[in-house]
C-alpha cells in the first residue's frame, strides 16, 4: 500500500470513528429527551418496534404481536391473543353477538386510553354485544380487509363489521424494507424524517387537498385496491351473513370549510351501492375547528373527546340497526 | 435569517462561493451588499434605518464635533431611532397608566439589531472626536463596518479600532475554516441543543399563574440561568465563527461568566463588549470613581439602570439593572471600607456570585414583579427531589453546561481546532449540527408510520 493510500485510509478511519462516537452521544441525548413520550414520531417508531412484527403474508406488511404490551405516548397498550388492542376474547358463545371494527391507528385508539376508545364507548353503550378493535397502525382498507380475510374472519366470527374508513385508506402502501439502523436508532429515524419532510414539500391543508385529489383518481393504484377490497368484504358478508357498516372518519386538520367532502360523498356512494349502512362522523365532529380534537399538539389522531363523540354516534346507529 | 436556520445556511453557502470568486476591492462591496440583503430579508423598509445611522455616523465622525453641546446633541440624535422604536410604547403605556390621555402605543416592530447599531454609531463618533480612531475615509468601508452581517443582529457591540481596519481585507479565509466550522457547531449546540431545549419549560413556569412548587422554582431559577447564557453566548460563537471564515476577528463577548468570583468580575466576563461600552461611554464620562464615593454610587446606579433599560422596555429590566447596580455599589463600598481586597475562598465566591446573578435573572425573565417574587419564594417551598424526576433531559443539559463551563472559551476551542486533524473536526462539527437538527425536530402535524 502506498503512503498516500495508507494516509487516506487512516483519515477515513478517524472520520468514521468520530462520526460513530458523536452519533452515540446524539443517540443518548435523544433517548433521554424522548423519554417523556411527547415526541409523536418516536412514539410511532416505538409502536412499530414494540407491538408489531413482520407478517408472513407480504400483502399485510405487519401485524400486532399477540400478548405484547407497551406504554406509548403516555397510554398503555395491550394486544390480546387475536392480535387486537383490548381485553382478551374467548371462543364465541352461541348467543353472543360480535361487532368487529376494522381500521387503522385511529380505530386502534392511538393516544387514547383503552377505556376511552371508540371500541370501549360502543361496548359500554351496547353491553349485550362484544365489540372488538381490529385497528392496526399503517393499515389501509386493502390491508384491513386482507387481515380480516386471512385471520379474523374465522377467529372472531363477527355478526357485524364496522369498516372505519379514513381518507388515507385509498393510498397505496408500498412494502416496507427492514433497515437495522432505522429500527434501532432514534437519531437515524429522526434525521431520516427531517430529510423526508424537507424533500416532501408542502404539508399544509392545501397540500393535503392536492394529495387526496390525486389519491382518489379512479385509476390510482391505491384507489383501485381499496374498491377491490370493499368488493371482497361484501362477498364475504354475503357468504357469512354478517352486516357491514362503513363509518367515515374525517381528517381533523381543518373541520371548518372542510376541503375533503368529495371523499365523504364518494365513500357514501360506494357503501350504498353495496347495500351497506353509512355513518359519517363529520356529523358530530363538524362543529369543531380540528386541532382541539388532536391527541397531543402535533399529532392529528382524534383524542378521547373525539372518540367519545364518534363512539356515541356509532352506538346509536348500530342499536338502530339492531332493531 | 437566524444563523441556525436552513435559509441562512443556504445564504451563507452562496455567499462564500461568491466571495471566493470576487477579487480585490470588489470584496468590500460584495460583503456590504450581502450584509444589506441579510438585513433586508426580515423587513426591507428598515434598511433605511441601518443606512441612515451609517451615513449619520460617517458624516459626524469626520466633523469631530469639538463643541460639547453639539456633541451631546449628536449623541442624543444617534439614540433617537432607538428611543422612538424601542421606548415609545413603554413611555405611552406608563403615561396612560398614571392618567395622562395619550394615544395607543404604536405596534411597529423593532428594527433588527437597532440597539447594537445605535451603540456602534455612538462609539464611532465619540472615538473619532477623542482621537482614539481616525475617521474612515470611504463610506463603503464604514457601511460594511456597520452592516457586517455576523455582528449585525445580536452583537458583539463592535468598535472601530477593533475591526474597521479588517473591513478592507475581507476574504474567504480557507485556513480558518476548520476553526470556524467547529466554533459554529459548538455555538449551534449551545443555542439549539441546550437553550432552545430548556426554553419551553422555563417559559411554561414563568408564564403560569398561581402557586409554584419547589421543583418548578428550581427549574425556572437554574434553567433560565443556563438558557440565557447558552442562547446568547451560542449565538455569539456562531457570529464569531462566521466572521472568522470571512477573515475578520470579532471581539469575544463571554468568558465563562458563571466562574466569576464577584459582580465586578461577572461584568468583565458577561456581554463583555456591552460592559466596556457602558464603562467607556457612560460610566467614565459621568465621572466614574474620580469624584468620591457619593458620585461613584450615583454613576454606578445610573449606568446599570440604563444598561437594564437597554435590554428591554419594561420596569422589570429597570429593576434588574438597579439590582446589579446596588450589588456593585455594595462590593465597591465593602472594599473601600475594608481598605483591602476581601478574601473569600474561591468556590464560595463563585457559588455566591452565581446565585446573586441568578436572582437577577428572575427579575430579567419574569413577566411581572409578582411572578418574580413567586418564583423566588418557591425556592423556599418544601423540598421535593422526586418531582424533578420527570425532567431528566433538561437536568442533564444543565449539568453538562455547568460541568463544561470552565472549558467554554474561544481560546480552548481554537486550541482544539488546531490540535485535532480535519478528519476529526469536520465530521464532529457536521454530526453536532445534525444532532441539533434532530433535537429541534418538532411533531410533524401529519400522520406518520414506521414498519420494520
Amino acid at each position: 500500500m502506498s503512503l498516500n493510500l495508507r494516509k487516506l485510509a487512516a483519515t477515513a478511519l478517524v472520520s468514521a470513528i468520530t462520526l460513530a462516537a458523536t452519533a452515540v452521544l446524539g443517540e443518548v441525548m435523544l433517548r433521554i429527551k424522548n423519554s417523556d413520550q411527547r415526541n409523536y414520531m418516536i412514539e410511532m417508531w416505538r409502536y412499530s418496534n414494540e407491538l408489531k412484527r413482520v407478517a408472513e403474508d407480504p400483502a399485510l406488511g405487519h401485524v400486532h404481536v399477540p400478548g405484547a404490551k407497551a406504554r406509548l405516548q403516555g397510554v398503555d397498550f395491550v394486544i390480546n391473543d387475536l392480535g387486537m388492542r383490548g381485553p382478551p376474547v374467548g371462543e364465541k358463545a352461541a348467543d353472543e353477538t360480535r361487532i368487529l371494527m376494522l381500521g387503522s391507528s385511529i380505530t386502534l385508539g392511538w393516544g387514547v386510553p383503552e377505556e376511552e376508545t371508540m371500541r370501549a364507548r360502543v361496548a359500554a353503550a351496547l353491553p349485550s354485544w362484544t365489540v372488538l378493535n381490529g385497528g392496526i397502525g399503517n393499515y389501509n382498507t386493502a390491508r384491513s380487509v386482507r387481515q380480516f380475510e386471512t385471520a379474523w374472519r374465522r377467529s372472531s366470527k363477527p355478526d357485524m363489521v364496522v369498516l372505519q374508513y379514513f381518507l388515507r385508506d385509498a393510498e397505496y402502501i408500498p412494502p416496507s424494507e427492514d433497515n437495522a439502523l432505522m429500527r434501532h436508532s432514534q437519531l437515524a429515524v429522526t434525521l431520516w424524517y427531517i430529510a423526508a419532510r424537507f424533500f416532501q414539500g408542502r404539508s399544509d391543508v392545501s397540500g393535503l387537498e392536492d394529495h387526496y385529489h390525486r389519491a382518489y383518481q379512479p385509476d390510482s393504484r391505491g384507489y383501485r385496491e381499496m374498491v377491490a377490497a370493499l368488493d371482497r368484504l361484501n362477498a364475504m358478508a354475503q357468504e357469512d351473513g354478517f352486516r357491514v357498516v362503513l363509518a367515515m372518519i374525517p381528517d381533523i386538520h381543518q373541520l371548518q370549510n372542510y376541503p375533503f367532502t368529495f371523499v365523504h360523498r364518494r365513500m357514501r356512494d360506494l357503501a350504498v351501492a353495496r347495500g351497506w349502512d353509512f355513518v359519517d362522523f363529520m356529523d358530530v365532529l363538524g362543529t369543531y375547528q380540528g386541532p382541539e380534537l388532536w391527541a397531543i399538539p402535533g399529532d392529528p389522531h382524534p383524542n378521547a373527546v373525539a372518540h367519545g363523540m364518534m363512539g356515541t354516534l356509532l352506538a346509536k346507529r348500530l342499536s338502530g340497526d339492531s332493531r | 435569517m437566524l444563523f441556525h436556520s436552513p435559509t441562512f445556511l443556504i445564504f451563507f453557502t452562496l455567499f462564500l462561493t461568491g466571495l471566493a470568486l470576487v477579487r480585490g476591492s470588489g470584496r468590500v462591496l460584495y460583503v456590504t451588499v450581502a450584509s444589506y440583503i441579510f438585513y433586508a430579508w426580515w423587513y426591507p423598509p428598515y434598511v433605511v434605518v441601518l443606512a441612515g445611522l451609517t451615513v449619520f455616523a460617517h458624516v459626524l465622525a469626520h466633523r469631530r464635533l469639538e463643541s460639547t453641546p453639539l456633541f451631546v446633541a449628536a449623541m442624543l440624535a444617534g439614540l433617537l431611532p432607538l428611543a422612538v422604536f424601542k421606548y415609545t410604547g413603554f413611555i405611552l403605556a406608563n403615561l396612560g397608566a398614571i392618567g395622562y390621555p395619550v394615544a395607543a402605543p404604536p405596534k411597529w416592530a423593532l428594527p433588527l439589531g437597532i440597539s447594537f447599531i445605535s451603540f456602534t454609531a455612538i462609539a464611532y463618533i465619540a472615538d473619532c472626536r477623542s482621537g482614539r480612531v481616525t475617521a474612515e475615509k470611504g463610506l463603503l468601508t464604514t457601511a460594511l463596518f456597520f452592516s457586517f452581517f455576523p455582528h449585525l443582529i445580536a452583537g458583539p457591540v463592535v468598535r472601530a479600532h477593533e475591526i474597521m481596519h479588517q473591513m478592507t481585507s475581507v476574504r474567504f479565509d480557507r485556513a480558518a475554516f476548520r476553526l470556524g466550522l467547529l466554533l459554529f457547531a459548538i455555538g449551534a449546540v449551545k443555542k439549539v441543543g441546550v437553550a432552545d431545549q430548556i426554553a419551553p419549560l422555563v417559559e411554561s413556569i414563568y408564564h403560569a399563574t398561581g402557586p409554584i412548587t419547589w421543583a418548578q422554582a428550581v427549574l425556572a431559577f437554574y434553567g433560565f440561568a443556563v438558557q440565557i447564557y447558552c442562547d446568547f453566548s451560542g449565538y455569539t460563537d456562531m457570529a464569531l465563527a462566521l466572521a472568522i471564515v470571512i477573515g475578520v476577528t470579532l471581539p469575544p463577548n463571554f468568558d465563562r461568566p458563571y466562574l466569576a468570583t464577584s459582580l465586578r468580575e461577572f461584568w468583565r466576563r458577561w456581554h463583555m463588549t456591552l460592559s466596556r461600552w457602558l464603562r467607556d461611554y457612560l460610566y467614565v464620562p459621568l465621572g466614574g470613581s474620580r469624584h468620591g464615593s457619593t458620585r461613584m454610587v450615583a454613576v454606578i446606579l445610573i449606568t446599570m439602570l440604563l444598561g437594564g433599560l437597554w435590554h428591554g422596555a419594561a420596569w422589570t429590566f429597570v429593576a434588574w439593572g438597579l439590582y446589579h447596580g446596588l450589588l456593585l455599589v455594595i462590593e465597591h463600598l465593602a472594599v473601600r471600607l475594608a481598605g483591602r481586597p476581601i478574601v473569600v475562598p474561591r468556590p464560595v465566591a463563585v457559588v455566591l456570585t452565581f446565585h446573586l446573578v441568578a436572582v437577577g435573572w428572575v427579575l430579567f425573565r419574569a413577566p411581572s414583579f409578582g411572578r418574580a417574587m413567586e418564583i423566588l419564594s418557591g425556592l423556599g417551598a418544601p423540598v421535593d427531589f422526586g418531582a424533578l424526576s420527570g425532567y431528566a433531559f433538561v437536568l442533564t443539559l444543565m449539568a453538562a453546561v455547568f460541568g463544561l463551563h470552565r472549558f467554554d472559551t474561544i481560546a480552548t476551542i481554537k486550541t482544539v481546532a488546531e490540535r485535532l486533524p480535519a478528519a476529526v473536526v469536520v465530521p464532529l462539527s457536521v454530526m453536532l449540527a445534525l444532532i441539533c437538527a434532530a433535537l429541534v425536530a418538532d411533531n410533524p402535524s401529519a400522520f406518520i408510520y414506521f414498519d420494520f
Side-chain angles (χ1 to χ4, degrees):
Chain A
M1 197 188 280
S2 74
L3 192 65
N4 276 348
L5 212 57
R6 220 178 292 165
K7 200 175 167 187
L8 194 68
T11 303
L13 182 67
V14 169
S15 296
I17 291 170
T18 307
L19 277 177
T22 321
V24 169
L25 173 73
E27 184 72 26
V28 171
M29 294 306 289
L30 274 180
R31 293 211 176 226
I32 297 172
K33 183 187 179 189
N34 293 331
S35 62
D36 66 359
Q37 301 198 351
R38 300 291 294 173
N39 186 327
Y40 156 54
M41 177 183 62
I42 291 300
E43 293 308 291
M44 267 292 174
W45 173 82
R46 289 184 51 227
Y47 165 59
S48 186
N49 270 333
E50 296 178 29
L51 295 186
K52 289 163 86 178
R53 63 169 169 78
V54 177
E56 288 166 12
D57 180 356
L60 286 176
H62 293 76
V63 289
H64 281 155
V65 178
K69 291 178 187 175
R71 186 168 176 80
L72 304 167
Q73 209 164 290
V75 170
D76 289 319
F77 283 78
V78 179
I79 305 300
N80 65 23
D81 289 345
L82 292 181
M84 300 176 184
R85 185 185 184 190
V89 182
E91 279 297 308
K92 187 179 178 185
D95 59 345
E96 186 182 354
T97 305
R98 283 186 173 178
I99 305 173
L100 172 61
M101 296 178 175
L102 294 177
S104 61
S105 52
I106 298 175
T107 307
L108 174 75
W110 178 260
V112 179
E114 165 58 28
E115 64 278 11
E116 295 181 82
T117 59
M118 209 182 328
R119 184 211 70 79
R121 307 292 184 127
V122 174
L126 305 171
S128 61
W129 295 17
T130 303
V131 186
L132 307 178
N133 182 346
I136 297 182
N138 204 19
Y139 265 32
N140 57 11
T141 297
R143 282 187 173 184
S144 294
V145 171
R146 178 79 177 174
Q147 166 69 0
F148 175 72
E149 203 170 12
T150 56
W152 292 337
R153 182 183 182 188
R154 301 293 166 222
S155 60
S156 68
K157 300 183 181 70
D159 300 285
M160 184 182 294
V161 169
V162 178
L163 179 63
Q164 300 200 340
Y165 189 89
F166 182 64
L167 279 74
R168 289 191 66 176
D169 287 354
E171 288 175 9
Y172 168 67
I173 303 175
S176 50
E177 292 170 12
D178 200 0
N179 178 321
L181 188 62
M182 292 273 284
R183 188 183 182 92
H184 293 104
S185 166
Q186 291 192 5
L187 179 62
V189 80
T190 307
L191 292 177
W192 169 84
Y193 194 74
I194 291 169
R197 265 212 292 176
F198 185 78
F199 291 112
Q200 188 181 321
R202 289 163 62 193
S203 58
D204 57 1
V205 172
S206 55
L208 275 177
E209 205 174 335
D210 294 341
H211 170 76
Y212 285 132
H213 273 290
R214 283 195 301 276
Y216 282 84
Q217 290 296 317
D219 60 345
S220 84
R221 179 172 181 175
Y223 183 79
R224 283 189 282 113
E225 288 185 357
M226 181 270 290
V227 174
L230 297 186
D231 289 336
R232 289 206 312 282
L233 182 61
N234 199 36
M236 287 184 273
Q238 286 169 1
E239 197 177 315
D240 295 359
F242 60 79
R243 299 177 68 95
V244 181
V245 175
L246 195 148
M248 184 74 206
I249 302 168
D251 185 309
I252 58 175
H253 278 90
Q254 177 191 312
L255 290 167
Q256 299 303 307
N257 300 316
Y258 186 64
F260 309 122
T261 46
F262 69 97
V263 180
H264 291 235
R265 282 197 300 272
R266 179 85 61 86
M267 295 315 299
R268 186 188 58 213
D269 293 345
L270 289 171
V272 170
R274 287 159 182 77
W276 300 348
D277 292 305
F278 180 76
V279 178
D280 193 340
F281 291 132
M282 193 66 183
D283 293 346
V284 286
L285 303 182
T287 55
Y288 289 80
Q289 295 295 323
E292 70 271 43
L293 297 177
W294 290 15
I296 58 170
D299 176 0
H301 284 87
N303 61 16
V305 174
H307 269 255
M309 289 187 286
M310 293 192 291
T312 303
L313 176 66
L314 188 59
K316 202 182 288 179
R317 294 291 297 272
L318 296 183
S319 60
D321 287 344
S322 69
R323 285 193 292 271
Chain B
M1 269 192 283
L2 294 170
F3 291 157
H4 52 284
S5 68
T7 313
F8 178 77
L9 294 180
I10 293 168
F11 166 84
F12 193 66
T13 306
L14 294 174
F15 164 79
L16 269 192
T17 309
L19 186 60
L21 298 173
V22 178
R23 292 281 171 266
S25 57
R27 288 175 183 150
V28 177
L29 176 64
Y30 175 78
V31 181
T32 308
V33 170
S35 295
Y36 269 80
I37 291 171
F38 172 84
Y39 193 76
W41 199 269
W42 171 68
Y43 185 58
Y46 280 166
V47 162
V48 174
V49 178
L50 173 61
L53 276 168
T54 301
V55 172
F56 172 81
H58 183 74
V59 170
L60 293 188
H62 282 271
R63 292 273 171 101
R64 291 197 60 177
L65 302 175
E66 303 287 346
S67 140
T68 301
L70 201 59
F71 173 69
V72 172
M75 295 293 99
L76 293 174
L79 286 171
L80 197 60
L82 177 65
V84 169
F85 282 109
K86 195 164 181 174
Y87 301 109
T88 303
F90 177 63
I91 293 166
L92 288 177
N94 281 288
L95 287 175
I98 57 172
Y100 281 92
V102 289
K107 290 184 176 167
W108 54 49
L110 193 64
L112 280 180
I114 182 76
S115 307
F116 292 96
I117 300 166
S118 302
F119 273 28
T120 301
I122 283 171
Y124 183 49
I125 297 167
D127 284 349
C128 287
R129 179 180 188 252
S130 68
R132 184 171 192 172
V133 295
T134 309
E136 168 60 39
K137 286 179 186 162
L139 178 60
L140 185 61
T141 308
T142 309
L144 180 55
F145 165 67
F146 275 94
S147 67
F148 186 56
F149 67 84
H151 74 64
L152 189 51
I153 292 181
V157 182
V158 292
R159 289 161 68 174
H161 71 275
E162 289 170 332
I163 73 161
M164 184 71 91
H165 63 283
Q166 300 184 63
M167 292 295 104
T168 49
S169 56
V170 285
R171 66 198 182 282
F172 178 13
D173 189 350
R174 289 174 181 80
F177 190 75
R178 196 192 308 177
L179 170 61
L181 188 64
L182 184 64
L183 186 56
F184 189 88
I186 288 172
V189 168
K190 283 157 74 176
K191 169 78 181 85
V192 180
V194 180
D196 290 356
Q197 302 301 312
I198 296 175
L201 173 66
V202 169
E203 163 93 12
S204 69
I205 298 171
Y206 270 97
H207 284 272
T209 50
I212 189 167
T213 65
W214 174 81
Q216 288 172 319
V218 164
L219 288 165
F221 184 80
Y222 293 102
F224 185 65
V226 171
Q227 182 201 331
I228 191 168
Y229 170 69
C230 288
D231 193 291
F232 198 3
S233 76
Y235 208 79
T236 305
D237 287 348
M238 288 191 274
L240 265 60
L242 296 169
I244 283 171
V245 176
I246 310 171
V248 174
T249 303
L250 294 177
N253 226 4
F254 293 89
D255 180 18
R256 301 166 295 170
Y258 292 154
L259 292 182
T261 53
S262 67
L263 262 294
R264 277 187 295 178
E265 190 184 344
F266 172 78
W267 281 106
R268 286 197 293 269
R269 290 170 174 265
W270 178 274
H271 205 171
M272 294 146 71
T273 56
L274 175 69
S275 300
R276 285 182 319 179
W277 195 98
L278 291 173
R279 181 195 65 199
D280 294 348
Y281 304 106
L282 201 55
Y283 177 75
V284 172
L286 287 175
S289 57
R290 302 188 303 274
H291 303 286
S293 293
T294 310
R295 176 80 172 261
M296 183 194 72
V297 166
V299 171
I300 289 176
L301 291 177
I302 290 168
T303 303
M304 296 311 290
L305 184 151
L306 292 175
L309 201 56
W310 180 86
H311 283 82
W315 287 112
T316 45
F317 289 109
V318 174
W320 172 75
L322 271 179
Y323 168 78
H324 271 275
L326 282 172
L327 291 177
L328 287 169
V329 165
I330 291 167
E331 265 187 21
H332 274 282
L333 293 181
V335 171
R336 281 202 179 188
L337 283 174
R340 58 180 170 78
I342 298 167
V343 180
V344 179
R346 186 175 168 79
V348 175
V350 168
V351 171
L352 182 64
T353 304
F354 168 77
H355 282 85
L356 289 172
V357 169
V359 168
W361 289 139
V362 175
L363 285 171
F364 187 95
R365 180 64 183 82
S368 65
F369 289 114
R371 191 59 183 166
M373 289 307 117
E374 283 170 355
I375 286 171
L376 291 174
S377 57
L379 294 170
V383 174
D384 178 11
F385 283 105
L388 294 172
S389 62
Y391 302 97
F393 182 59
V394 166
L395 292 171
T396 305
L397 291 178
M398 286 159 57
V401 169
F402 286 125
L404 296 171
H405 193 53
R406 63 190 292 258
F407 304 108
D408 188 12
T409 66
I410 303 294
T412 308
I413 296 167
K414 197 173 178 182
T415 305
V416 170
E418 283 167 356
R419 288 191 183 168
L420 289 177
V424 172
V425 172
V426 174
L428 175 70
S429 304
V430 170
M431 205 63 210
L432 287 176
L434 289 175
I435 291 169
C436 286
L439 284 171
V440 296
D442 55 353
N443 279 332
S445 303
F447 291 94
I448 48 175
Y449 301 101
F450 298 96
D451 279 339
F452 297 107

